[in-house]
Amino acid sequence: MSDPHTPQTDADRIRNKRLARLGGSSNVSSPTASSPATPSVVPGSPSTQPSVNPEHQITSEAAQKYVKPSTPIPHTTQSAPSTVRPAAREKIAPQTSQSLNTTPKSKQIQSVFSYSKWEEDTVENIFGIALDRDVASRNKLVWLKALAEEIKSETPDLSLPLRAKGEYADRLLIARLELDPQAMVDDQEQLIIQELIPPQQTCFEYLVGCWKRLVTQRSAIVKRNLPQKDFEQASALIEKLRELVISYAGLTLQEPSMFPQPQTTKPLGVEELLPSLYALNSSPSIFGSSSESSVLLNPSTDLVPFLTDIGNRFYQDGLEDVLGEVVRRVVFGRNLA
């Protein structure tokens, strides 16, 4: 006969009492819908963890993946143009403006100005000559054919076309002054050269024309705002040409027959300078009209600078011989000299 009070029977009885007690308490106060029922824990059960609803578990995992993904997504913020700080705009604007013109002004001028090209053009323009036939024909200059052939024979490897340079300045000026427009020649090319020389132009008139063109070039160089090196080279060339022109002008005043002169009735030598001196006053000169347009050196703009250059060149080097006769003519009159 089995014992009615076995351990298993006692355990069942105790469990039934607990369930009955719990059932009674639920009849007294019913729990709210939001309060979950407390799960019963059975001793000796395989797992003591509370049961979880599978639907709630899936929803929770999906929410966790949405809130914090396994691969981070880069966060980019696109700012509108209006959000740029004013200080940054002020800092960028000058840099952008400066980047449009990164070449300094002096370098721009230097890239445009070529001293060698300017030297050739300047010497040819001031003296009115050229060593190359095509250059002379194109620019209406006197072609110094004989001198060009002489220079080519001295230096056969010179680049062509042969252009006038400062190193030939003395030879160029002498070669031009030695041309006689009235000489009889058989060379057709030489005849073309002589046709470009004004038939009634004296040597002094030619030299005064060179001096005027030289003054114009000197003013143009000052206005160009060249780099220091180019300006010094250009100024040195202008000074060299000025000294040559003034020197030969003074010599032709003393010795008019030093170079070929045209067959003319015009006065030569110091008398060529007198009309400009007489035009300084308003009284009629012994040469007729005192109009500034009829004189070689304009009394308002040319005469004083020209005489200043003559004085500086021949100071303590024969100045009295150059201008002494001119002064006597002006002071004592032409017939009292």
Side-chain angles (χ1 to χ4, degrees):
M1 180 175 178
S2 61
D3 188 2
H5 299 283
T6 61
Q8 182 65 28
T9 305
D10 295 338
D12 293 337
R13 188 169 48 253
I14 293 172
R15 183 179 60 192
N16 293 332
K17 289 181 178 180
R18 287 180 179 178
L19 291 175
R21 189 181 298 113
L22 290 175
S25 60
S26 61
N27 294 331
V28 174
S29 61
S30 62
T32 60
S34 60
S35 299
T38 303
S40 60
V41 179
V42 180
S45 62
S47 175
T48 61
Q49 297 294 334
S51 61
V52 180
N53 191 343
E55 294 182 356
H56 291 173
Q57 184 176 2
I58 295 174
T59 304
S60 177
E61 291 178 357
Q64 185 177 5
K65 290 182 180 180
Y66 177 80
V67 174
K68 187 177 180 180
S70 58
T71 303
I73 300 175
H75 181 72
T76 58
T77 304
Q78 183 177 2
S79 58
S82 59
T83 59
V84 179
R85 292 177 298 174
R89 292 179 179 176
E90 295 177 359
K91 185 176 181 181
I92 295 174
Q95 294 177 355
T96 305
S97 176
Q98 185 178 3
S99 63
L100 297 177
N101 187 12
T102 57
T103 306
K105 184 178 181 180
S106 60
K107 290 187 177 181
Q108 290 178 350
I109 298 177
Q110 187 174 7
S111 63
V112 174
F113 180 80
S114 171
Y115 173 77
S116 60
K117 178 66 168 57
W118 174 87
E119 177 188 18
E120 297 167 351
D121 294 340
T122 299
V123 175
E124 292 171 351
N125 174 263
I126 290 177
F127 289 163
I129 54 86
L131 293 174
D132 182 77
R133 179 179 179 178
D134 294 337
V135 174
S137 177
R138 182 168 58 251
N139 299 317
K140 305 299 181 183
L141 302 173
V142 176
W143 178 32
L144 300 180
K145 178 183 177 182
L147 180 59
E149 294 176 349
E150 182 180 336
I151 294 175
K152 289 178 182 178
S153 64
E154 295 172 355
T155 314
D157 58 344
L158 284 175
S159 59
L160 300 178
L162 182 62
R163 300 294 300 274
K165 294 184 180 296
E167 60 181 305
Y168 307 139
D170 195 7
R171 301 170 67 180
L172 292 168
L173 187 56
I174 293 176
R176 170 59 182 85
L177 290 170
E178 288 180 343
L179 289 178
D180 187 359
Q182 299 174 352
M184 300 298 295
V185 294
D186 297 332
D187 188 355
Q188 186 65 27
E189 292 182 342
Q190 190 66 30
L191 288 174
I192 297 175
I193 294 172
Q194 292 182 353
E195 290 178 357
L196 295 176
I197 302 176
Q200 296 297 313
Q201 185 184 62
T202 66
C203 293
F204 183 74
E205 289 174 342
Y206 164 73
L207 291 168
V208 170
C210 293
W211 178 83
K212 290 180 179 180
R213 292 188 291 270
L214 187 147
V215 172
T216 301
Q217 286 289 343
R218 181 166 50 188
S219 300
I221 284 298
V222 173
K223 294 178 181 179
R224 291 193 66 171
N225 191 24
L226 297 174
Q228 186 65 25
K229 181 180 179 180
D230 292 334
F231 178 77
E232 292 176 356
Q233 284 185 305
S235 299
L237 177 63
I238 292 293
E239 179 61 23
K240 179 178 181 178
L241 301 181
R242 184 196 65 80
E243 185 175 354
L244 281 174
V245 169
I246 290 296
S247 297
Y248 284 104
L251 293 176
T252 55
L253 287 176
Q254 298 178 70
E255 296 291 339
S257 61
M258 178 178 293
F259 299 104
Q261 298 282 6
Q263 294 180 2
T264 179
T265 58
K266 293 189 299 185
L268 301 175
V270 294
E271 293 187 0
E272 296 185 70
L273 193 56
L274 292 178
S276 299
L277 293 172
Y278 284 121
L280 286 172
N281 55 47
S282 58
S283 61
S285 70
I286 59 177
F287 289 92
S289 175
S290 60
S291 173
E292 294 182 356
S293 60
S294 64
V295 296
L296 183 59
L297 290 165
N298 190 309
S300 302
T301 58
D302 301 330
L303 184 59
V304 174
F306 180 80
L307 293 177
T308 301
D309 284 347
I310 289 285
N312 293 334
R313 166 61 184 85
F314 290 97
Y315 177 70
Q316 295 182 348
D317 190 20
L319 179 61
E320 184 179 351
D321 297 333
V322 176
L323 295 180
E325 184 65 21
V326 176
V327 174
R328 284 191 292 270
R329 294 290 183 92
V330 172
V331 174
F332 300 107
R334 183 180 183 188
N335 296 327
L336 299 178

